[in-house]
Amino acid sequence: MKSELLKIKCLTVSFMLVLVSTLFFSSCKTSNPDAKIDLTTGWTYTLDENAKPEDYVAFDNSILGNLETLVPEQYGFIWLKKTFTIPESLKNQNLGVYFGRISIADETYVNGAFIGGEGTCPPNEFSAWNTARFYTIPEAILNSGSNEILVKIWVDAEGSIVSNPFISTIPVARKAASREAFWNSKINLIFAFIMVVIACYHLMLYFKNRNEKENLMFALINLLSALYLSVFFYGELSFAFGTHVSFLVFQKIFSNSMPFFICYMVISFIISFVHSSEKKGVKYIRLGFLIIPVVIVLFAQDYRVLRAMRWTFMMLIPPMIYLICIIIRALVKKEKDAVTLLFGFSPLLGTFLIDIIVHNILKNYSFPYITSIGWQLVIVSLLFILANRFVKSRRQVEELNRTLENKVEARTRELSLSNSKLSEANSQLELTNNQLTEAKKKADRDLKLAANVQNSFFNPSLPNFKNWDVVYKFKPAAGVSGDFYDFFHNGTDLQGVGLFDVSGHGIASGLVTMLAKTVIDRKFRECANLPFSRVVSEIDRQITEDKGDIENYLTGVLLRIEGNQVELINAGHPKVFIRTAKNGRCYPVEPKETSEKNGIIGFGDIKQEFRAVKFKMQKGDSIILYTDCLNESVNKNGEQFTEERIAAALEDAGIGSAKSKLDYVLNRFYKFTEGSEIKDDLTVIVLQYNPQN
């Protein structure tokens, strides 16, 4: 755990330092001002295509990043003009002009000659805001004295020149444009490709094991993120956009809607990752925070309206707060993956803060936005975390296989040695009938003593519980039972019920039964204020420790009751059914996700996970608990009674007391198995909620 956190932390810090340092120095101006002509100041503008030179108006250079403020209704063309002279170091050669990023579209002229343009104007408007502008100025069109550069910019709710434009030699201008293109578009294209590869890989893992839904969610997060990143690199893929889809539709889907889908999937992934639960109502609210803003932006009539709808991004705040609460709750519950997850998301927070400081406080628009890169680093961190979890799971499985193989091999050797010794003893000793009879009597006395000791641990009678009607049937197949049950109560207040089945038979199984019953009773009461999953984990740890090398383990069901609220954990036991008084139907009580199966208790050093199911009882609702004798016993044809027949019998039992329901189920069971021997311990418990008020 610590090494994993250290790796993620080092990766995050190193990336952030390299990223910020590289971007900062790459955005600084060159130290040789004579080698270039600065275009950040001295501009004039007009809104009239046929304006005379004297009609151009000077404006504050800080408005270069917000040219839409100069255009009526923020819709139309604006012409920017600047005069310049060429220094001696740049004369007599072709030059390059670097304009960086311009939105929405531009056409650039030098001394009246067209030198280049990006983006398209209406009627097929499409922004080229993230395309780094680099145009060549032929020597033939330049004057030795004064020269004029004119930029025609199409404005639609936004218009800007956000970099530090200049004229210089072609290599210098091209290098600046290449650097800008890399940090603002190409790097996002690279990451998008990587995300698609990651998505394909995790989809493959999911289709190989559909229980691992985290792989499906992570794959969808990567695909959605790759689609969102197209906002930054679509200029690199002119064949994919522009003529095939309108700019308005593109912005609606990829820029304004995709973040809400990503946020929804990320929260779903985190809930699954930290094994958290989510109420249906909360899930529907979260779904509303996805659907409502998406529907709103899809109805935008034009790009100006869409830009005005940026307030919809405020609807990302409640889901993000909810995400933080999930992680904090996981930290409080000491979920082992919560801290790792927190570090995995830290790059996004860091880059977001950097963007806020640099662009909104320092007003440095030449510095590229890096929040998307922070999110890409989060993807890498999550990939590392999932890979690490996968490796750990594989190691646990390999260790389990190795341990089981060793145990089977050791038991085989023991059995072989025992058979050898038995054969030797039979060949050397001939026991008389009296000796055999005496040995049998002694074994019967020991077994009877063990049965008496075990029976003293069980409740021969129960109080009349307030609000609960409780009955049970306990019938050991032999003197010593591997089944045991317990009712936790304070006077007439029922606080919990447990039913367990110890593997194996005989005295050893009976001793483990008594040991486990003592541990469960103590831990249930000591850990009353802990999460229910922690209670069962403590029971598992203590039983594993106390029984030592004894290989018997437990399956079972434990309920914790408070009023009509029930928490239930099924540790490898047969299904528990609830019969509702409302419609008389039976339903299994189990996690919604079938992959969330619990472990068993006392199974060696392999850590088990236990998840609780919470539900409320209504008046007349009843619950049936049973050991595997009830569902696995067979009739004369070799057919098992099955869990389905148990549920059907409880449904057919009709209304009435808990005892009438228990009797009906057992009568149907005995009739089904008539003529067959019942070879296992039988225990059945029926609980019926009958509130007095």
Side-chain angles (χ1 to χ4, degrees), residues 356-380:
I356 293 295
I357 294 171
V358 172
H359 294 93
N360 295 83
I361 298 177
L362 300 180
K363 306 295 183 181
N364 184 355
Y365 298 112
S366 64
F367 192 89
Y369 285 92
I370 60 174
T371 298
S372 62
I373 299 176
W375 173 243
Q376 293 154 18
L377 188 58
V378 170
I379 293 292
V380 174

Side-chain angles (χ1 to χ4, degrees), residues 257-278:
S257 298
M258 209 57 64
F260 294 96
F261 286 98
I262 294 173
C263 183
Y264 182 85
M265 287 307 306
V266 167
I267 295 176
S268 300
F269 171 80
I270 298 303
I271 290 173
S272 176
F273 189 83
V274 299
H275 310 297
S276 181
S277 58
E278 185 179 38

Side-chain angles (χ1 to χ4, degrees), residues 119-144:
T120 55
C121 303
N124 298 316
E125 173 185 321
F126 214 100
S127 175
W129 75 277
N130 221 34
T131 301
R133 268 59 161 189
F134 163 73
Y135 307 134
T136 300
I137 307 176
E139 178 189 359
I141 67 173
L142 292 171
N143 302 320
S144 59

Side-chain angles (χ1 to χ4, degrees), residues 100-227:
R101 287 169 289 153
I102 299 178
S103 60
I104 285 182
D106 73 288
E107 295 176 5
T108 302
Y109 303 82
V110 172
N111 295 331
F114 177 75
I115 62 170
E118 293 287 351
T120 55
C121 303
N124 298 316
E125 173 185 321
F126 214 100
S127 175
W129 75 277
N130 221 34
T131 301
R133 268 59 161 189
F134 163 73
Y135 307 134
T136 300
I137 307 176
E139 178 189 359
I141 67 173
L142 292 171
N143 302 320
S144 59
S146 178
N147 294 272
E148 179 183 274
I149 184 167
L150 178 69
V151 185
K152 176 184 176 183
I153 298 177
W154 169 249
V155 175
D156 184 0
E158 61 180 351
S160 61
I161 301 176
V162 298
S163 302
N164 295 315
F166 62 85
I167 297 173
S168 186
T169 61
I170 289 177
V172 171
R174 180 183 284 118
K175 182 178 180 181
S178 297
R179 183 170 58 240
E180 177 105 13
F182 176 78
W183 285 112
N184 285 283
S185 58
K186 287 185 171 61
I187 192 172
N188 290 292
L189 176 59
I190 294 170
F191 272 113
F193 175 76
I194 294 173
M195 287 176 180
V196 172
V197 173
I198 293 173
C200 292
Y201 173 72
H202 281 271
L203 281 175
M204 180 186 69
L205 292 180
Y206 169 71
F207 286 120
K208 286 182 176 292
N209 183 4
R210 293 177 183 263
N211 290 328
E212 296 290 340
K213 291 191 176 180
E214 291 170 11
N215 286 320
L216 174 61
M217 294 178 186
F218 189 60
L220 292 176
I221 289 172
N222 276 274
L223 287 176
L224 292 171
S225 298
L227 291 173

